[in-house]
Amino acid sequence: MPQTTGLGHVGIYADDFMKQRDFYNRVIGLQIADENMERGMCFMSSDPVSEHHEFVIMKGREANDETKTIQQISFKVPTIQDMREYKEALEAENITIERIVSHGNAFGMYFFDPEGNRVELYYRTGFPVPQPHGDAIDLSRSDEELIADARHLLMTKEPVK
């Protein structure tokens, strides 16, 4: 059977193309790899040298305000400190953080972008904790305390059947 090697990229339509482009570039920190303003396309990446684009924004969203077109868009971060700094940056943008949780296998921070798409920033712990799981966590705690709690989950959480 053929197999994929991973997720290549995600593309979304935007009502306000420039507002979304600005948010993902300035606040989330994705770099603009290429764009075609005439067509309303922006190709973005956390590292355009190793992956040309991981995220694409296109103008022309065609859904009413109540239509949910995306369950979530998730971006990995390299450290727990990055999550703390994103929390500050999002709060400075008056973006409400929906929740910050430990999934055991990762710590996730959830919020909505300017057009109401759920976004997750997550740090992978490396612990194979069965899912779904999501305990609220406090990022003011030390990295060591947060990791110790995630490790404890690995030993106590029953596998999902």
Side-chain angles (χ1 to χ4, degrees), residues 10 16 21 117 152:
V10 172
D16 188 333
R21 177 186 176 274
N117 300 301
H152 178 73

Side-chain angles (χ1 to χ4, degrees), residues 1-22:
M1 168 185 245
Q3 186 170 333
T4 61
T5 60
L7 178 64
H9 60 270
V10 172
I12 66 170
Y13 286 108
D15 283 325
D16 188 333
F17 175 80
M18 292 306 290
K19 187 174 186 177
Q20 289 289 77
R21 177 186 176 274
D22 175 64

Side-chain angles (χ1 to χ4, degrees), residues 60-71:
R61 186 173 184 159
E62 295 179 16
N64 65 41
D65 291 342
E66 296 164 14
T67 302
K68 302 248 187 275
T69 58
I70 296 171
Q71 190 275 327

